[in-house]
Each structure stands twice: as C-alpha cells, then as structure tokens.
Amino acid sequence: MKIIQCADLHIDSKKFTKFTPEKRALKRHQMLQNFVDMVDFAEKNKISAILICGDMFDESKVLKKSLKTVQEAILSHPNIMFFYIWGNHDEGFEIFDVKPANFVVFGREFAKFEMQNVCVGGISFQRQIPSSFYEKVEFDKDKFNILMMHGPVDAGDKYSEPVQLKKLDHKNIDYLALGHIHKRDEGKIDSRGKWAFCGCLESASFSYLGKDFGFYVLNIENGKMTRKFVPFAKYYYQSVEIDVSNVKNTSDVFAIVNQKTTNFGLNDIVRIVFVGKRKEGEEINKNMIVEKYANQFFFLEILDETKMIFDLERYAKETLSLKAEFIKNVMADETLTEEEKQQICIAGLEALKGEEISL
Amino acid sequence: MKLISCHIDAFGKFKNVDFVFDEKMQVICEKNGFGKTTLAQFIKAMFYSLPPTSKRANFRSERDLYKPFDYDGRFGGSLTFSCKKGDFIVARQFGSTPTLDKFYLFNAKTNLTSNVFSSNLGEELFGVGKETFENSTFFEQQNLESGINDDMRATLATGVLSGDDVDNFDHAQTLLQKKMKEIRADARALKVEESEEDYKLAKATEEVLKIKIANVDEDLKNATLMQTDLERSQKHTSNQNANVYINQNVALGSVIDADKVRVAEKMQQKENLTRDVLLSAEEYRFLKNDKNAHRGHLAKDAMYACLLVAILGFIGIACGGIMRMSIILILSAVVTILGIVGFVVGLFVSRSCADEMKKYADILKKHSMSTKTIKIEMEKFEKVASDVNFLEEEIAKLNLEIEKKFAEKSVIERQFFDIFGCRIENFYLQTNEKSQRMSSIEKRIVELQTDKKHFTSELENIQDKIFELSDSLSSKKEELVESQKKLDVLLKTSQILENARDSISNRYIEPVSDRFNKYYKKFVANGENVMIDSNLDLRFGRNFSDVEFLSAGLFDLVYICKRFALVDLLYKKEKPAIILDDPFANFDDEKLDIAKKLLKEMCEDYQIILFTCQKSRA
C-alpha cells in the first residue's frame, strides 16, 4: 500500500506582501495547484491514501474557488483516502459540510481508521495536547500503525507545546507523520517507530530556501515501510550573500551577482544580501541592480547589510566642513540605532553630493 | 563694484533723467519728494529686476509702486557700473509681468552685448540674493532693521566654511525634501485609508449578509417546521380516513332523519285517530278510574233522599202526633232520625269528594257533556285508545332510536374533531385551506431557499473580496511602514544636516560681532555691550534688553553698524555700492559727525551713495 505524507500547504497564504498583486495571486494559485497536482500524482502512482498533516490552509478564511478546487480534487478521487488533521493555521476548518466517504478528519480526540493491514490514527493540532490523548493512543501490534500529528517535537514554539515522544513510546506506532516544521526532519520514537516531518509542499518565505520541498511516498508491504521523497515545489526561495568589502564598482557588483545567480530563473524568488564593509563613496545602487535583474527572477529583493566605514578621524580634524559636521552629529546621536546611522549617513552624503537619494 | 551713471527712461516719477555717480561718495541732497527712494529702488531694480505684480489687494509690489504714473510703454532704464570683470551697462525694460521684462547687458567699453552676466545680475555679481542685498547694502531710514535669511546665513557661513558644503546645503535639503515628497506621494498613492474603508465596508456587508442568512435560516426552519406539521397533519387526516367518519356520520344522520319522519307520521296518525275524541287521555283516566266523584254524586243523591225521608218522617211524626198513633209516631221518628243521619252522612261524603266532583263537573262543562254523553265519549275514547297506545309506543321506540343514533353521531363527531381538528361539516373547507397553506409554505420555502442561495453566493463573493482586500491591505500597510521608516530616516537626515549647518553657521557670530563692535565703538566708545545671536538679533546691556527700548538715534545706530558689519562679511565677490537713504535722520550732532567721518573712511573701500534732504546730513 502506498501512502503520501504531506503537510503545511498553506493554501491562500497572504504572506507575499512584497510581491505585486499579480505575482501574489500567481504564487497563491501555485500553492493551491500543488495540491491538485499531488492528487493527480497519487492517482497516477496508485496511491491509496494521502495524509495531510495540518496547515493545509493558511487561515480559516479561504477563497471560494480554493475551497472548491480542494473539494473537487478530493471528490473526484473516491479511490484515494484523504486523512486530514488541523494545524495551528487551519484549526477547526471544515472542508466539507457533508464529508465524503474518502475523507477522514481527525479532530481533537484520538481516532483511528483501518485500511487492510494499515491503521491510520490522528489528532488535530492543539496548543497543548491533553495527556489523556497519550493514554488513549492504542494500536494493534500486528498492524502497520501510522499516527498523524501537527506540532514541534524537540521544544515548544510560540504556537504550541511539543509532541511528547516519550509518551508515545511502546504504543506500537510504526510511523509518526508530522506537520508544522517546514523542513524535512526525522527521528526515532522507540525501537519500533520513527517520526518524520515531510516539510512543506512549497516554501512561502526566505526562512526556507532551496528546492527541497515536497512530500513523502510511504510504501508499506508486509508490515515494512520504505519511503521516498518527491520534490514538488514550483517556486523556490533563494538567497545569496555578496560581500562587497573588496568590490570596487557597480560593474564588479553586477559580475558577482551574475555569477551567484546564474542558476536562478523565473521560478526563483531571489534575495541578494550585500554584506561586508565599504568606504564612503563606494556606493551600491540597489535600484540599478533591481532594474537589471528584476525581470530575470520571479521576484528580487535586495538587502543592504553592509557597514559603511567613515573616516571619523579625518572628520574630527575638519572643523569647517558641513559633511564632517553632519557625520559627526550622526555618529554622536545616541538615540539612533546603528542601522539608522548608516542609512542617515548615506542619505545625507548622497544629498550633499547632489545625487539622487537611493534609500 | 562702482556705479558710474544711470539713465532712467521711466521709473516712478522719473522720466528721461540721468545721474552720474562719484567714484567714492555721491551725496544727493534734495528736498523731500525729489524721488531719492525711487532712485535707490531703480538702482536695486537694475541689479535684481522687479518682483511680479502683487495679487493681494492690500499690497503693492515694487512693480506696481514704480510703474510710471503716465505709463507710455516705457518702464525702466540703464545703469553703468564697473566691477572686477569690467565695465558694463545694464538696461532693463519692465513689462506687466517678469516674463515680459527685457534685459540687456553691454560692455561699456565696446558697447557690444555681453554675456558675462545673465538677467540674474545681482546674484551673479554680488553672490547674494535680493533679500540679502536689501538687508545689507540698502539703508533705508524707515527700515533699518534687518534679520537673517537662509541666503544670508549661507553667505555668512561661506566665510567660515570650506568647500562648497554650504552651497550644497540648500540643494541637499531640496533633494531630501524631494525624496520625502516622492515617498509621501507614493504612500498616498497606496490609498491605504481608501482600502481600509473598502475593507470595513466589505466586513460590514459580510456581517449584514450573515445576519440575512441567519434570518433566512430561521424563517426556513420555521417554514419547514410548519410544512412538516402540515404534512404530518395531512398524513393523519387523509381524506380516506376522514371519509370513513364522514360516511358513518352521514349514514347516522340519514337514519335519524328517516326516524324523525316516521315519528312525524306516527304523530300524524295519532292525531288523526284522536281528532274526534273529545276526552283527553287524562280526562278519560280520571273519569274511568276516579271513584270519589261517583261516590260524591251518590252521596249527594243519598243525602237528598235522606232529607226527603227525614221530611216524610217528620210529616209522619206530625201525623202520628195528630193521630196520636204512637206506632206511627215511633216509626216516623225512626224514619226521621234515619233520614237525618243519612242526610248528614251524605253531606259529609259529598263534601269530602267535592274536588273530584268539581273536576268531573268541569270536564262535563268543558266538553258540554252530560253524564250520559260522557259515557258515550268514554266509550269512543276506549275504542281508539289501543291504537293510540300502539302509535305512542312506536313513537317512543323511534325517539329512543333517534336518541341512540344521535349519541352515536355525537361520538363520531367528537372523534372526528379530535383527529382532524375541525367539525365534520368544516372538514373539506379546512382541507382546502390546508392545501392552500401547504402550497403557500412550499412557495415560501422555495423563495427562502432562493434568497439563501443568493445571499450565500453574495457572502462567498464578499468573503473573497475581503480576502483580496485584506491581502492587498497587508501589503500596502507593509509598504506604508517601509515608507514611514524611510521618511523617518530622511527627516532625521534633514534635521541632523540642518543642525550641522547651524552648528557651523553659529561660528559666524564671532566675525559679525567683531565687525559690529568695530563700527559701534566708533560712535559709542564706552557704550554698553551689544550681544548678537545666530539669528543676528541684537540685545543690549547687562540685562540683554531688547533694542526696541533704545532711543531712536541709538536704535538706528546699532542697526546701521550691523549692516556695515554684514556688508563687510557678505560680499566676497564684489564690494557693493552702499546706498544710504537718509539713515542718519535720528542722529544727534555728535553721532552725525562720527557718521560722516565713518563714511569718509568707508568710501575708501565702498562707493557710498547718500541720499538726504538736509544739508547738515550731507
């Protein structure tokens, strides 16, 4: 029997505030389409069940068309069982008013469902999972048992307490299918079972970079499981760091950007972070970089985290220079953060030089 | 810079007038009304042109003030001057607006047009703006006070600053302001408030739709309940069930009606039978059964017989007495006694049967019958009595049957009412009403379902809109926060830059103060200290009193000294001609002498043009 484990689809996420409205819609659509494509994949690959381990939706208010698409995908595949638990984002969300036979939601109490020699149990996300749940978890030792949960394992986070793996010890669990952490991760419960986060289907922020996002296909035969990861993301968050300490001019910056982004394309959401130190006069014109590269990627963001070094000793000697007086005043202002000092100095110097302010 | 001469085509009251200026000091001593101020304004206008016509009703600009009274198309003139770059003739003709002004510059040596200076001659020549020129070199007696403007501050600071920093300050501020303006414009273009309003409106619409749906649901629930009740009631009270009761009821009613007809017939028969019988059954029974009346009549008859016997006995006694026949007498006495006894008994008995006898007599009287005829009537009565009795029995039976049927009918009607909730006779009427109600409820349910579908669809659409608006609003708000951060940085940049400028600018206080004191001490050797702040405001004495409290002469003096100090410091490119429009009018003789000496000294460095109306001040 083949089963898909997926989680954290975050359909209808509103996170992409920096994108243009069109690209926000496009990214959102893709995250929805991923689910549809995954169900088609399941159909083609004779998958018996799909485990959706929470956060299928980004919040309980979703677009009508998104809900309809999800419903249609489930209803049009009656031969595939869909097991769904709520995550912290879609807690209590009802996909169907009347649940179809191939759709099972595990609520706030432990429940299980048997399919031949495989038993799937689960409980939806709760900030603190009641201890009674751990007492109630019980599986037949002769079956292959899967438990679905949503939450962190090592330590709690701002959303919830961690899943208490020790309390799941010796409960005949073969596989704890987890959602919540967007990166793949895994570990052991006891001598019999293991836990695994399959990660999100597609990243929705620069916190999760690269292409390593998708779902697991569990293949259970004769009580033994083999597992395969299927990368499924369509858009990839990429971040490159460029140290401009020794870069002389903008064309050098372009050359480094070219080199570092050579593998990126229109499906990449790119962040270029400039770091290092630069001297006064060594400018990075972010607007020029955006203008040059914006159309080469799905989205481009430039972060200037460089530190501009000012020759304060020289300025200290200049008593009659407005520029020196300005820099000294900025540096002496204790109410300003370091970042503000940098920005003010750059803006002020640009203005004094009569250049366009690049802020 | 030295003024050489000027020719006024037309300017204020002057028309076609020429003036020549001495290289060092030119004193123009004329009576009031000569046009000294006009000439001074003409010189300034040649360098700095004239401002546009004022749009304010209560204010006249210099262009309005000095437009010739008899304007004939000429308004302007020319001025010949020498400077480091050579000798030039500037000629200006002023139109109704600055755009119509004409400017010419000629090389005074070659008389050829020169491009050394543009129409912005004053600024290019002196390196200061018009306002600074007015506040420094242009001494009007009525307007000696002068403050400091950015141009003056920058020019003064130039003296103490290096490089082009100060020149760049204004441009830098302009760039910062421009950037802030752009950011503000971009922020405004986001129309966050508008989006928030749209969002609030959409949320309000969502709430309204939810309420509408809840109301429709409630109505739908009630309508469905009514429908269910009605269906249940119709199910239990189907016509088929009702018909069983109705048929039974109708059958019973028919039987009752038939029995009633039969009773009526029997009654009719009975009436026919008893039509010729005078006596009623009661009378007959009385006559037949009552013995007392008969006894009474007998007693009455016996009483009269006894009375007759008693009378006869009495006659016998009389006869016996007459005849003295004792036997007759005894017999008659016995008869008499018996007669009296019989009479008394008869009387008693008849009296005791008086009621019955009266009733008997009434019956006879009622039917006009005699004792004989009554017997006939009684016989007649007896003859039909058995038939009547039979009929009455039949009628009684029928009435009993009717009562029984009525009872049964009542039971059926009660049962029917209990089951169907209405009287049998109203059943079909109510069934029809129910059918109409059911149809109306069904129609209402369809309407409500349509409404619900419509509202749900609207709700879904508005929720989608809310989603989009919320998404867009979050993005806009994030952008707004970014803009605000940028504005904050730019504002701080501008402020710090200004502080830096001020911090440097303040360093010109010392040179201004030195220069001021250089002149001031010439007039008031042991005078009180005068303090000058960075705004070039003056304060006097130990208490730092406002100069307003000084005497008119001293007041003019400190401002004249300040202007001399400013002229010394402001003009780096060209030393200007100092135009003094009778500034010493308030000076006493001592100060006037000092002023004259000072001017003599100053005319070594500056060309002095002094206008006055008194020879003593010339």
Side-chain angles (χ1 to χ4, degrees):
Chain A
M1 178 185 294
K2 285 198 267 188
I3 296 173
I4 282 180
Q5 178 201 356
C6 70
D8 297 286
L9 285 80
H10 290 278
I11 292 169
D12 281 353
S13 172
K14 291 180 188 165
K15 274 185 177 176
F16 320 111
T17 50
K18 288 184 178 171
F19 296 2
T20 60
E22 294 74 25
K23 289 200 172 168
R24 281 206 295 274
L26 201 58
K27 176 80 167 87
R28 241 191 332 257
H29 171 76
Q30 187 53 57
M31 291 177 82
L32 172 66
Q33 190 59 36
N34 283 342
F35 176 74
V36 177
D37 293 346
M38 183 181 70
V39 176
D40 288 343
F41 173 94
E43 177 76 36
K44 281 175 197 160
N45 291 277
K46 295 179 179 156
I47 303 288
S48 304
I50 295 178
L51 314 178
I52 306 162
C53 301
D55 285 355
M56 182 170 188
F57 295 94
D58 198 57
E59 55 178 70
S60 52
K61 284 182 180 168
V62 300
L63 287 169
K64 184 171 69 176
K65 65 168 185 191
S66 307
L67 185 60
K68 223 172 206 172
T69 306
V70 168
Q71 288 170 341
E72 277 169 12
I74 295 169
L75 291 170
S76 60
H77 294 84
N79 51 335
I80 300 172
M81 279 303 299
F82 291 82
F83 296 98
Y84 172 47
I85 58 169
W86 300 319
N88 51 302
H89 280 266
D90 55 357
E91 208 177 343
F93 187 77
E94 294 292 350
I95 295 175
F96 292 101
D97 291 334
V98 182
K99 290 179 189 67
N102 65 328
F103 185 73
V104 176
V105 182
F106 295 118
R108 293 185 177 86
E109 295 282 336
F110 171 68
K112 55 189 180 181
F113 188 94
E114 293 191 356
M115 295 187 304
Q116 299 162 29
N117 57 344
V118 174
C119 181
V120 179
I123 183 169
S124 274
F125 167 84
Q126 284 158 84
R127 179 164 281 277
Q128 192 164 17
I129 291 171
S131 55
S132 59
F133 158 73
Y134 294 100
E135 288 157 20
K136 281 181 193 166
V137 173
E138 197 180 332
F139 286 105
D140 183 348
K141 65 180 173 56
D142 296 327
K143 286 192 178 285
F144 187 90
N145 301 311
I146 299 174
L147 178 63
M148 293 168 67
M149 289 182 80
H150 187 93
V153 284
D154 296 331
D157 57 19
K158 64 177 176 177
Y159 304 106
S160 72
E161 296 291 315
V163 172
Q164 297 186 37
L165 293 172
K166 279 186 184 171
K167 291 190 178 176
L168 295 173
D169 197 1
H170 295 101
K171 295 278 188 182
N172 297 322
I173 298 167
D174 291 288
Y175 189 75
L176 175 58
L178 289 165
H180 187 61
I181 302 297
H182 289 198
K183 265 280 184 201
R184 279 194 288 157
D185 197 5
E186 62 183 6
K188 282 205 156 200
I189 305 170
D190 52 24
S191 55
R192 173 167 174 161
K194 61 157 77 172
W195 57 266
F197 286 104
C198 56
C200 55
L201 216 52
E202 177 157 327
S203 174
S205 79
F206 284 107
S207 304
Y208 299 97
L209 302 171
K211 301 184 175 182
D212 194 19
F213 299 98
F215 53 83
Y216 279 130
V217 176
L218 319 177
N219 192 2
I220 302 154
E221 279 175 15
N222 305 320
K224 300 282 176 197
M225 183 194 83
T226 53
R227 195 183 61 190
K228 187 185 161 197
F229 179 71
V230 180
F232 215 65
K234 303 292 184 297
Y235 291 103
Y236 321 112
Y237 278 81
Q238 310 281 9
S239 181
V240 292
E241 208 171 80
I242 297 176
D243 190 336
V244 294
S245 301
N246 298 313
V247 176
K248 300 293 177 202
N249 49 45
T250 310
S251 59
D252 287 352
V253 174
F254 284 159
I256 300 171
V257 172
N258 278 339
Q259 182 203 337
K260 294 224 174 188
T261 60
T262 187
N263 294 324
F264 301 163
L266 288 171
N267 283 353
D268 290 294
I269 296 157
V270 180
R271 172 186 275 175
I272 298 173
V273 188
F274 290 110
V275 294
K277 293 175 182 174
R278 60 191 169 104
K279 289 178 193 159
E280 211 186 310
E282 294 175 354
E283 310 295 346
I284 295 171
N285 194 325
K286 288 192 282 183
N287 296 339
M288 276 178 72
I289 296 164
V290 171
E291 207 171 301
K292 183 170 165 65
Y293 293 97
N295 292 333
Q296 297 184 21
F297 313 124
F298 183 80
F299 173 78
L300 174 65
E301 180 182 76
I302 309 278
L303 292 187
D304 183 3
E305 291 180 2
T306 56
K307 187 165 172 56
M308 189 177 269
I309 307 300
F310 298 98
D311 191 350
L312 294 177
E313 278 183 24
R314 179 170 66 85
Y315 286 131
K317 287 174 196 162
E318 285 183 24
T319 55
L320 294 175
S321 157
L322 180 59
K323 191 162 72 176
E325 192 68 24
F326 170 70
I327 299 289
K328 279 190 281 185
N329 281 5
V330 175
M331 292 305 173
D333 194 334
E334 291 177 355
T335 63
L336 301 173
T337 63
E338 281 306 311
E339 190 190 355
E340 279 179 320
K341 283 180 182 178
Q342 285 281 318
Q343 288 175 331
I344 290 170
C345 280
I346 292 166
L349 291 176
E350 283 171 345
L352 282 171
K353 281 182 191 168
E355 292 172 355
E356 195 188 334
I357 295 158
S358 60
L359 186 70
Chain B
M1 194 279 306
K2 306 274 185 191
L3 302 179
I4 297 168
S5 64
C6 73
H7 169 78
I8 304 175
D9 272 350
F11 194 86
K13 65 187 295 181
F14 292 121
K15 208 158 195 179
N16 209 20
V17 179
D18 290 285
F19 290 94
V20 177
F21 303 106
D22 187 273
E23 191 183 342
K24 292 192 173 178
M25 188 179 331
Q26 179 68 48
V27 178
I28 299 171
C29 181
E30 294 289 349
K31 288 178 186 170
N32 285 335
F34 167 75
K36 298 185 292 295
T37 307
T38 305
L39 177 58
Q41 290 292 347
F42 174 79
I43 295 167
K44 187 176 74 178
M46 285 300 108
F47 289 119
Y48 288 97
S49 185
L50 287 173
T53 300
S54 171
K55 287 177 183 169
R56 285 185 284 161
N58 55 352
F59 178 79
R60 298 181 73 199
S61 78
E62 287 161 8
R63 189 177 292 265
D64 306 315
L65 281 170
Y66 297 104
K67 187 172 180 180
F69 311 133
D70 50 350
Y71 178 65
D72 58 0
R74 289 183 301 153
F75 179 17
S78 63
L79 176 75
T80 308
F81 64 94
S82 68
C83 65
K84 288 175 184 171
K85 293 185 178 175
D87 293 355
F88 296 94
I89 300 166
V90 56
R92 290 186 194 261
Q93 281 296 323
F94 303 107
S96 51
T97 62
T99 51
L100 298 173
D101 287 356
K102 288 177 179 167
F103 168 83
Y104 309 96
L105 186 75
F106 304 100
N107 185 311
K109 296 269 167 61
T110 62
N111 285 342
L112 293 172
T113 307
S114 170
N115 293 323
V116 173
F117 300 107
S118 72
S119 61
N120 196 14
L121 172 63
E123 279 197 39
E124 291 168 9
L125 181 64
F126 300 118
V128 300
K130 183 180 173 227
E131 204 182 336
T132 304
F133 181 81
E134 281 171 348
N135 283 332
S136 54
T137 65
F138 200 63
F139 288 56
E140 280 181 283
Q141 196 266 315
Q142 300 299 326
N143 190 20
L144 285 168
E145 284 179 72
S146 62
I148 188 166
N149 55 37
D150 278 346
D151 174 47
M152 199 185 285
R153 200 190 294 274
T155 314
L156 283 170
T158 312
V160 291
L161 292 178
S162 63
D164 295 326
D165 284 352
V166 173
D167 286 340
N168 290 344
F169 172 79
D170 285 341
H171 189 51
Q173 286 291 17
T174 307
L175 286 173
L176 289 167
Q177 295 302 327
K178 186 183 158 204
K179 184 73 179 175
M180 283 191 265
K181 200 174 165 187
E182 282 170 11
I183 292 171
R184 285 194 190 102
D186 288 348
R188 271 197 302 277
L190 291 172
K191 295 182 180 172
V192 173
E193 281 177 12
E194 218 171 279
S195 298
E196 266 176 337
E197 282 305 311
D198 288 349
Y199 180 76
K200 279 182 198 165
L201 189 69
K203 287 294 278 181
T205 312
E206 183 192 26
E207 284 310 307
V208 169
L209 284 168
K210 277 181 181 172
I211 291 167
K212 278 184 181 175
I213 290 171
N215 289 343
V216 169
D217 275 342
E218 187 64 30
D219 289 351
L220 206 53
K221 190 178 153 192
N222 291 338
T224 311
L225 272 175
M226 281 167 72
Q227 188 190 35
T228 312
D229 283 351
L230 214 55
E231 273 172 0
R232 195 181 297 132
S233 120
Q234 278 188 336
K235 195 176 175 185
H236 289 160
T237 62
S238 69
N239 284 356
Q240 205 177 349
N241 287 341
N243 283 344
V244 173
Y245 286 92
I246 291 166
N247 290 342
Q248 282 179 358
N249 194 52
V250 170
L252 281 170
S254 303
V255 170
I256 289 167
D257 288 346
D259 283 352
K260 278 183 180 171
V261 169
R262 286 172 65 197
V263 166
E265 283 172 3
K266 299 281 179 195
M267 292 292 278
Q268 188 61 47
Q269 282 176 10
K270 185 184 156 192
E271 198 185 327
N272 291 341
L273 280 172
T274 56
R275 188 175 296 146
D276 297 333
V277 177
L278 293 175
L279 291 172
S280 68
E282 189 192 356
E283 286 168 341
Y284 172 79
R285 277 195 297 276
F286 175 77
L287 293 173
K288 182 84 180 170
N289 300 324
D290 192 72
K291 307 283 185 200
N292 285 341
H294 186 65
R295 195 184 292 135
H297 282 109
L298 284 175
K300 201 175 181 180
D301 290 346
M303 182 186 80
Y304 288 122
C306 286
L307 183 63
L308 189 62
V309 170
I311 292 166
L312 287 174
F314 190 73
I315 293 167
I317 291 168
C319 290
I322 294 164
M323 287 188 300
R324 307 236 183 172
M325 288 178 67
S326 59
I327 193 119
I328 295 171
L329 195 59
I330 292 165
L331 282 170
S332 295
V334 170
V335 169
T336 303
I337 290 164
L338 286 171
I340 290 168
V341 169
F343 179 80
V344 171
V345 170
L347 186 64
F348 179 76
V349 171
S350 68
R351 285 282 173 90
S352 67
C353 299
D355 290 342
E356 285 83 358
M357 287 170 71
K358 188 178 178 294
K359 192 172 179 183
Y360 185 82
D362 288 345
I363 291 167
L364 291 183
K365 194 179 172 187
K366 178 184 170 189
H367 300 295
S368 309
M369 288 186 294
S370 65
T371 315
K372 282 183 183 171
T373 55
I374 204 162
K375 281 185 181 171
I376 297 162
E377 280 300 317
M378 284 179 72
E379 281 168 7
K380 209 191 273 177
F381 184 87
E382 283 164 3
K383 213 175 174 180
V384 296
S386 64
D387 291 343
V388 168
N389 278 343
F390 177 75
L391 283 172
E392 280 179 345
E393 277 173 20
E394 286 285 301
I395 289 167
K397 274 183 189 173
L398 283 170
N399 280 336
L400 203 64
E401 199 61 26
I402 287 169
E403 272 178 36
K404 203 175 149 190
K405 293 280 187 289
F406 256 123
E408 277 180 37
K409 195 167 180 280
S410 296
V411 168
I412 287 168
E413 282 175 348
R414 202 160 47 245
Q415 283 176 345
F416 187 91
F417 191 85
D418 290 344
I419 295 166
F420 300 102
C422 66
R423 294 169 66 85
I424 285 176
E425 55 270 33
N426 293 334
F427 177 74
Y428 287 110
L429 190 64
Q430 283 205 2
T431 305
N432 194 31
E433 274 175 15
K434 274 183 187 175
S435 162
Q436 280 178 354
R437 267 179 70 200
M438 180 59 98
S439 153
S440 156
I441 289 169
E442 280 167 356
K443 196 178 162 193
R444 177 76 183 133
I445 286 172
V446 169
E447 280 172 3
L448 288 167
Q449 280 168 340
T450 310
D451 283 352
K452 187 177 176 180
K453 204 174 166 187
H454 171 69
F455 291 144
T456 307
S457 166
E458 270 191 45
L459 181 68
E460 284 171 351
N461 289 339
I462 202 79
Q463 281 172 338
D464 276 5
K465 191 178 172 188
I466 287 170
F467 183 95
E468 300 285 358
L469 284 171
S470 150
D471 183 41
S472 157
L473 200 56
S474 315
S475 172
K476 285 179 177 182
K477 279 185 174 174
E478 198 165 296
E479 243 180 280
L480 203 61
V481 169
E482 282 297 312
S483 297
Q484 197 51 53
K485 276 185 191 167
K486 286 180 182 176
L487 277 178
D488 194 39
V489 165
L490 291 171
L491 273 170
K492 283 177 178 168
T493 308
S494 171
Q495 187 59 51
I496 294 172
L497 200 58
E498 197 172 318
N499 290 345
R501 191 276 315 265
D502 285 349
S503 146
I504 293 175
S505 295
N506 287 344
R507 293 173 203 160
Y508 57 64
I509 294 171
E510 200 179 326
V512 172
S513 192
D514 286 349
R515 294 283 176 165
F516 173 82
N517 281 314
K518 184 187 115 183
Y519 294 111
Y520 182 63
K521 295 292 178 187
K522 285 183 191 287
F523 291 90
V524 191
N526 300 313
E528 289 188 88
N529 288 329
V530 177
M531 190 188 79
I532 299 178
D533 64 20
S534 62
N535 289 327
L536 299 189
D537 286 335
L538 302 166
R539 295 211 165 258
F540 214 80
R542 289 182 181 173
N543 297 328
F544 306 110
S545 311
D546 199 312
V547 290
E548 297 288 332
F549 298 112
L550 294 173
S551 65
L554 211 51
F555 179 88
D556 287 353
L557 175 66
V558 292
Y559 277 107
I560 285 167
C561 292
K562 191 177 101 175
R563 279 173 176 258
F564 284 148
L566 289 176
V567 170
D568 280 351
L569 295 166
L570 286 170
Y571 295 88
K572 305 293 178 194
K573 291 185 173 178
E574 285 283 348
K575 287 194 185 299
I578 297 173
I579 300 162
L580 301 158
D581 186 4
D582 212 359
F584 309 129
N586 292 322
F587 278 23
D588 55 27
D589 290 344
E590 187 190 348
K591 286 195 179 65
L592 195 59
D593 285 343
I594 299 168
K596 284 177 182 174
K597 275 186 199 169
L598 178 65
L599 291 183
K600 275 184 185 170
E601 283 174 28
M602 287 186 77
C603 72
E604 294 301 320
D605 293 325
Y606 299 95
Q607 184 187 28
I608 309 284
I609 312 289
L610 175 65
F611 295 101
T612 182
C613 57
Q614 293 240 341
K615 285 188 178 171
S616 61
R617 296 201 288 271

